[in-house]
Amino acid sequence: MTCVLCVVFSQMFNQNLREFAPFIFASVALWQFLTESVLLGCRCFVLGSMYLRQQQVPVLIFPLRTVLGSAIHLSVSLVMAFLLSLILNGMPSLLAIVSLIPALVLLLCFAVGVATICGLVNTHFPDTSHILEIALQALYFLTPVIYRTEFFADHAKMSLIIHYNPLASILEIVRQPLLFGQAPTAWDWQLAGIAVMITTVIAWWLLRKMERHLVYWI
């Protein structure tokens, strides 16, 4: 996928392949992780129904299991993206790389919250996963996955959408230190933190509201 996207979009966006290839590699891996957290999260409670019917277990285990499974694939991809960037562009700043730790924690918390919400909603509305699959396709183009955020700097409307897109900030807080050795901006930290906070609160509220009756819906 990285090779195909580089061949097509490096020419269209007039990008240097030495920087663009690691960027695409990491971006696709991060987006795939978020997509799997949403779509596989929709079925996490249905797939765990056998355990839920037999004994009382903490229901958060099931979305957590889904996210951690996807996180294994993500970690391998991010290591490969880092090595690719290291070979093509040299060693990034070690101080910036340290910021990856809280960034990855925020990413995992966001993914667990999203997987929990999607799983609970999907138990009541089984078509949720199909709707979200279409929504994610639209978000893919509204989020800087295959292009840099600076690309639309001269386009006010698109720049505004990207600026207030929490998914863009979540991607940036991982990509900036990993690939470019730069600390993420304060705005990206704030927007990503707000997104994680809102997602966590909604997931916690839904769990408290639906946990006791979940077994009847799966």
PDB file of all heavy atoms in Angstrom, residues 73-95:
ATOM      1  N   HIS A  73      -0.033  -5.380  15.796  1.00  0.00           N
ATOM      2  CA  HIS A  73       0.271  -5.103  14.391  1.00  0.00           C
ATOM      3  C   HIS A  73       0.781  -3.669  14.226  1.00  0.00           C
ATOM      4  O   HIS A  73       1.705  -3.413  13.457  1.00  0.00           O
ATOM      5  CB  HIS A  73      -0.973  -5.309  13.527  1.00  0.00           C
ATOM      6  CG  HIS A  73      -1.531  -6.696  13.623  1.00  0.00           C
ATOM      7  ND1 HIS A  73      -2.870  -6.972  13.463  1.00  0.00           N
ATOM      8  CD2 HIS A  73      -0.932  -7.879  13.881  1.00  0.00           C
ATOM      9  CE1 HIS A  73      -3.066  -8.267  13.605  1.00  0.00           C
ATOM     10  NE2 HIS A  73      -1.906  -8.841  13.859  1.00  0.00           N
ATOM     11  N   LEU A  74       0.167  -2.746  14.948  1.00  0.00           N
ATOM     12  CA  LEU A  74       0.584  -1.345  14.857  1.00  0.00           C
ATOM     13  C   LEU A  74       2.022  -1.159  15.314  1.00  0.00           C
ATOM     14  O   LEU A  74       2.801  -0.436  14.686  1.00  0.00           O
ATOM     15  CB  LEU A  74      -0.354  -0.464  15.695  1.00  0.00           C
ATOM     16  CG  LEU A  74       0.052   1.010  15.800  1.00  0.00           C
ATOM     17  CD1 LEU A  74      -0.048   1.700  14.450  1.00  0.00           C
ATOM     18  CD2 LEU A  74      -0.812   1.736  16.827  1.00  0.00           C
ATOM     19  N   SER A  75       2.380  -1.792  16.421  1.00  0.00           N
ATOM     20  CA  SER A  75       3.732  -1.620  16.960  1.00  0.00           C
ATOM     21  C   SER A  75       4.788  -2.106  15.970  1.00  0.00           C
ATOM     22  O   SER A  75       5.830  -1.459  15.795  1.00  0.00           O
ATOM     23  CB  SER A  75       3.866  -2.368  18.292  1.00  0.00           C
ATOM     24  OG  SER A  75       3.652  -3.758  18.112  1.00  0.00           O
ATOM     25  N   VAL A  76       4.513  -3.231  15.293  1.00  0.00           N
ATOM     26  CA  VAL A  76       5.448  -3.741  14.286  1.00  0.00           C
ATOM     27  C   VAL A  76       5.577  -2.743  13.133  1.00  0.00           C
ATOM     28  O   VAL A  76       6.686  -2.437  12.673  1.00  0.00           O
ATOM     29  CB  VAL A  76       4.983  -5.109  13.754  1.00  0.00           C
ATOM     30  CG1 VAL A  76       5.870  -5.570  12.601  1.00  0.00           C
ATOM     31  CG2 VAL A  76       4.992  -6.147  14.872  1.00  0.00           C
ATOM     32  N   SER A  77       4.445  -2.203  12.697  1.00  0.00           N
ATOM     33  CA  SER A  77       4.449  -1.258  11.573  1.00  0.00           C
ATOM     34  C   SER A  77       5.174   0.037  11.932  1.00  0.00           C
ATOM     35  O   SER A  77       5.913   0.596  11.116  1.00  0.00           O
ATOM     36  CB  SER A  77       3.015  -0.949  11.144  1.00  0.00           C
ATOM     37  OG  SER A  77       2.364  -2.108  10.684  1.00  0.00           O
ATOM     38  N   LEU A  78       4.960   0.526  13.158  1.00  0.00           N
ATOM     39  CA  LEU A  78       5.613   1.772  13.572  1.00  0.00           C
ATOM     40  C   LEU A  78       7.124   1.594  13.694  1.00  0.00           C
ATOM     41  O   LEU A  78       7.888   2.510  13.366  1.00  0.00           O
ATOM     42  CB  LEU A  78       5.026   2.263  14.898  1.00  0.00           C
ATOM     43  CG  LEU A  78       3.592   2.798  14.843  1.00  0.00           C
ATOM     44  CD1 LEU A  78       3.162   3.312  16.209  1.00  0.00           C
ATOM     45  CD2 LEU A  78       3.451   3.910  13.803  1.00  0.00           C
ATOM     46  N   VAL A  79       7.563   0.432  14.157  1.00  0.00           N
ATOM     47  CA  VAL A  79       9.002   0.156  14.225  1.00  0.00           C
ATOM     48  C   VAL A  79       9.593   0.153  12.817  1.00  0.00           C
ATOM     49  O   VAL A  79      10.666   0.725  12.574  1.00  0.00           O
ATOM     50  CB  VAL A  79       9.268  -1.195  14.928  1.00  0.00           C
ATOM     51  CG1 VAL A  79      10.727  -1.613  14.747  1.00  0.00           C
ATOM     52  CG2 VAL A  79       8.939  -1.089  16.409  1.00  0.00           C
ATOM     53  N   MET A  80       8.886  -0.467  11.871  1.00  0.00           N
ATOM     54  CA  MET A  80       9.357  -0.496  10.486  1.00  0.00           C
ATOM     55  C   MET A  80       9.369   0.907   9.882  1.00  0.00           C
ATOM     56  O   MET A  80      10.299   1.268   9.144  1.00  0.00           O
ATOM     57  CB  MET A  80       8.472  -1.430   9.662  1.00  0.00           C
ATOM     58  CG  MET A  80       8.584  -2.885  10.058  1.00  0.00           C
ATOM     59  SD  MET A  80       7.458  -3.954   9.135  1.00  0.00           S
ATOM     60  CE  MET A  80       8.131  -3.809   7.489  1.00  0.00           C
ATOM     61  N   ALA A  81       8.346   1.710  10.194  1.00  0.00           N
ATOM     62  CA  ALA A  81       8.312   3.091   9.697  1.00  0.00           C
ATOM     63  C   ALA A  81       9.468   3.902  10.266  1.00  0.00           C
ATOM     64  O   ALA A  81      10.090   4.710   9.556  1.00  0.00           O
ATOM     65  CB  ALA A  81       6.979   3.737  10.057  1.00  0.00           C
ATOM     66  N   PHE A  82       9.764   3.693  11.548  1.00  0.00           N
ATOM     67  CA  PHE A  82      10.874   4.405  12.181  1.00  0.00           C
ATOM     68  C   PHE A  82      12.205   4.012  11.544  1.00  0.00           C
ATOM     69  O   PHE A  82      13.060   4.865  11.268  1.00  0.00           O
ATOM     70  CB  PHE A  82      10.901   4.110  13.677  1.00  0.00           C
ATOM     71  CG  PHE A  82      12.079   4.704  14.398  1.00  0.00           C
ATOM     72  CD1 PHE A  82      12.128   6.064  14.665  1.00  0.00           C
ATOM     73  CD2 PHE A  82      13.141   3.910  14.782  1.00  0.00           C
ATOM     74  CE1 PHE A  82      13.214   6.626  15.315  1.00  0.00           C
ATOM     75  CE2 PHE A  82      14.232   4.453  15.429  1.00  0.00           C
ATOM     76  CZ  PHE A  82      14.270   5.810  15.705  1.00  0.00           C
ATOM     77  N   LEU A  83      12.390   2.709  11.289  1.00  0.00           N
ATOM     78  CA  LEU A  83      13.629   2.244  10.664  1.00  0.00           C
ATOM     79  C   LEU A  83      13.767   2.786   9.252  1.00  0.00           C
ATOM     80  O   LEU A  83      14.861   3.164   8.826  1.00  0.00           O
ATOM     81  CB  LEU A  83      13.667   0.713  10.650  1.00  0.00           C
ATOM     82  CG  LEU A  83      13.794   0.034  12.023  1.00  0.00           C
ATOM     83  CD1 LEU A  83      13.716  -1.476  11.875  1.00  0.00           C
ATOM     84  CD2 LEU A  83      15.080   0.446  12.719  1.00  0.00           C
ATOM     85  N   LEU A  84      12.647   2.834   8.534  1.00  0.00           N
ATOM     86  CA  LEU A  84      12.671   3.390   7.178  1.00  0.00           C
ATOM     87  C   LEU A  84      13.061   4.864   7.207  1.00  0.00           C
ATOM     88  O   LEU A  84      13.876   5.331   6.400  1.00  0.00           O
ATOM     89  CB  LEU A  84      11.302   3.209   6.527  1.00  0.00           C
ATOM     90  CG  LEU A  84      11.165   3.683   5.076  1.00  0.00           C
ATOM     91  CD1 LEU A  84      12.111   2.916   4.166  1.00  0.00           C
ATOM     92  CD2 LEU A  84       9.724   3.529   4.601  1.00  0.00           C
ATOM     93  N   SER A  85      12.489   5.598   8.153  1.00  0.00           N
ATOM     94  CA  SER A  85      12.828   7.016   8.298  1.00  0.00           C
ATOM     95  C   SER A  85      14.287   7.191   8.722  1.00  0.00           C
ATOM     96  O   SER A  85      14.976   8.112   8.274  1.00  0.00           O
ATOM     97  CB  SER A  85      11.892   7.662   9.328  1.00  0.00           C
ATOM     98  OG  SER A  85      12.206   9.022   9.516  1.00  0.00           O
ATOM     99  N   LEU A  86      14.746   6.294   9.583  1.00  0.00           N
ATOM    100  CA  LEU A  86      16.131   6.349  10.054  1.00  0.00           C
ATOM    101  C   LEU A  86      17.106   6.148   8.901  1.00  0.00           C
ATOM    102  O   LEU A  86      18.112   6.857   8.778  1.00  0.00           O
ATOM    103  CB  LEU A  86      16.345   5.280  11.124  1.00  0.00           C
ATOM    104  CG  LEU A  86      17.683   5.280  11.869  1.00  0.00           C
ATOM    105  CD1 LEU A  86      17.823   6.538  12.715  1.00  0.00           C
ATOM    106  CD2 LEU A  86      17.799   4.036  12.744  1.00  0.00           C
ATOM    107  N   ILE A  87      16.805   5.206   8.015  1.00  0.00           N
ATOM    108  CA  ILE A  87      17.673   4.913   6.875  1.00  0.00           C
ATOM    109  C   ILE A  87      17.670   6.069   5.866  1.00  0.00           C
ATOM    110  O   ILE A  87      18.718   6.467   5.353  1.00  0.00           O
ATOM    111  CB  ILE A  87      17.228   3.604   6.190  1.00  0.00           C
ATOM    112  CG1 ILE A  87      17.464   2.419   7.124  1.00  0.00           C
ATOM    113  CG2 ILE A  87      17.961   3.399   4.870  1.00  0.00           C
ATOM    114  CD1 ILE A  87      16.842   1.122   6.650  1.00  0.00           C
ATOM    115  N   LEU A  88      16.487   6.612   5.612  1.00  0.00           N
ATOM    116  CA  LEU A  88      16.365   7.629   4.567  1.00  0.00           C
ATOM    117  C   LEU A  88      16.712   9.037   5.046  1.00  0.00           C
ATOM    118  O   LEU A  88      17.222   9.845   4.267  1.00  0.00           O
ATOM    119  CB  LEU A  88      14.936   7.621   4.007  1.00  0.00           C
ATOM    120  CG  LEU A  88      14.503   6.357   3.270  1.00  0.00           C
ATOM    121  CD1 LEU A  88      13.053   6.469   2.822  1.00  0.00           C
ATOM    122  CD2 LEU A  88      15.400   6.082   2.073  1.00  0.00           C
ATOM    123  N   ASN A  89      16.435   9.323   6.324  1.00  0.00           N
ATOM    124  CA  ASN A  89      16.548  10.719   6.792  1.00  0.00           C
ATOM    125  C   ASN A  89      17.445  10.900   8.010  1.00  0.00           C
ATOM    126  O   ASN A  89      17.613  12.025   8.477  1.00  0.00           O
ATOM    127  CB  ASN A  89      15.156  11.274   7.115  1.00  0.00           C
ATOM    128  CG  ASN A  89      14.219  11.198   5.929  1.00  0.00           C
ATOM    129  OD1 ASN A  89      14.540  11.693   4.849  1.00  0.00           O
ATOM    130  ND2 ASN A  89      13.068  10.558   6.097  1.00  0.00           N
ATOM    131  N   GLY A  90      17.980   9.833   8.571  1.00  0.00           N
ATOM    132  CA  GLY A  90      18.858   9.964   9.723  1.00  0.00           C
ATOM    133  C   GLY A  90      18.106   9.899  11.045  1.00  0.00           C
ATOM    134  O   GLY A  90      16.877   9.788  11.092  1.00  0.00           O
ATOM    135  N   MET A  91      18.870  10.011  12.126  1.00  0.00           N
ATOM    136  CA  MET A  91      18.323   9.863  13.477  1.00  0.00           C
ATOM    137  C   MET A  91      17.558  11.109  13.908  1.00  0.00           C
ATOM    138  O   MET A  91      18.094  12.219  13.861  1.00  0.00           O
ATOM    139  CB  MET A  91      19.472   9.607  14.469  1.00  0.00           C
ATOM    140  CG  MET A  91      19.012   9.287  15.875  1.00  0.00           C
ATOM    141  SD  MET A  91      18.185   7.686  15.952  1.00  0.00           S
ATOM    142  CE  MET A  91      17.686   7.674  17.684  1.00  0.00           C
ATOM    143  N   PRO A  92      16.284  10.965  14.325  1.00  0.00           N
ATOM    144  CA  PRO A  92      15.546  12.133  14.827  1.00  0.00           C
ATOM    145  C   PRO A  92      15.965  12.474  16.250  1.00  0.00           C
ATOM    146  O   PRO A  92      16.754  11.764  16.872  1.00  0.00           O
ATOM    147  CB  PRO A  92      14.091  11.655  14.790  1.00  0.00           C
ATOM    148  CG  PRO A  92      14.180  10.180  14.954  1.00  0.00           C
ATOM    149  CD  PRO A  92      15.454   9.758  14.276  1.00  0.00           C
ATOM    150  N   SER A  93      15.441  13.560  16.774  1.00  0.00           N
ATOM    151  CA  SER A  93      15.787  14.005  18.129  1.00  0.00           C
ATOM    152  C   SER A  93      15.281  13.012  19.170  1.00  0.00           C
ATOM    153  O   SER A  93      14.111  12.607  19.154  1.00  0.00           O
ATOM    154  CB  SER A  93      15.155  15.377  18.379  1.00  0.00           C
ATOM    155  OG  SER A  93      15.245  15.723  19.739  1.00  0.00           O
ATOM    156  N   LEU A  94      16.169  12.613  20.075  1.00  0.00           N
ATOM    157  CA  LEU A  94      15.787  11.671  21.130  1.00  0.00           C
ATOM    158  C   LEU A  94      14.780  12.283  22.092  1.00  0.00           C
ATOM    159  O   LEU A  94      13.901  11.597  22.612  1.00  0.00           O
ATOM    160  CB  LEU A  94      17.032  11.211  21.892  1.00  0.00           C
ATOM    161  CG  LEU A  94      18.006  10.324  21.110  1.00  0.00           C
ATOM    162  CD1 LEU A  94      19.232  10.012  21.948  1.00  0.00           C
ATOM    163  CD2 LEU A  94      17.331   9.030  20.675  1.00  0.00           C
ATOM    164  N   LEU A  95      14.896  13.597  22.328  1.00  0.00           N
ATOM    165  CA  LEU A  95      13.952  14.263  23.229  1.00  0.00           C
ATOM    166  C   LEU A  95      12.538  14.231  22.664  1.00  0.00           C
ATOM    167  O   LEU A  95      11.561  14.057  23.391  1.00  0.00           O
ATOM    168  CB  LEU A  95      14.391  15.711  23.470  1.00  0.00           C
ATOM    169  CG  LEU A  95      15.654  15.906  24.314  1.00  0.00           C
ATOM    170  CD1 LEU A  95      16.009  17.389  24.403  1.00  0.00           C
ATOM    171  CD2 LEU A  95      15.436  15.345  25.727  1.00  0.00           C
TER     172      LEU A  95
END
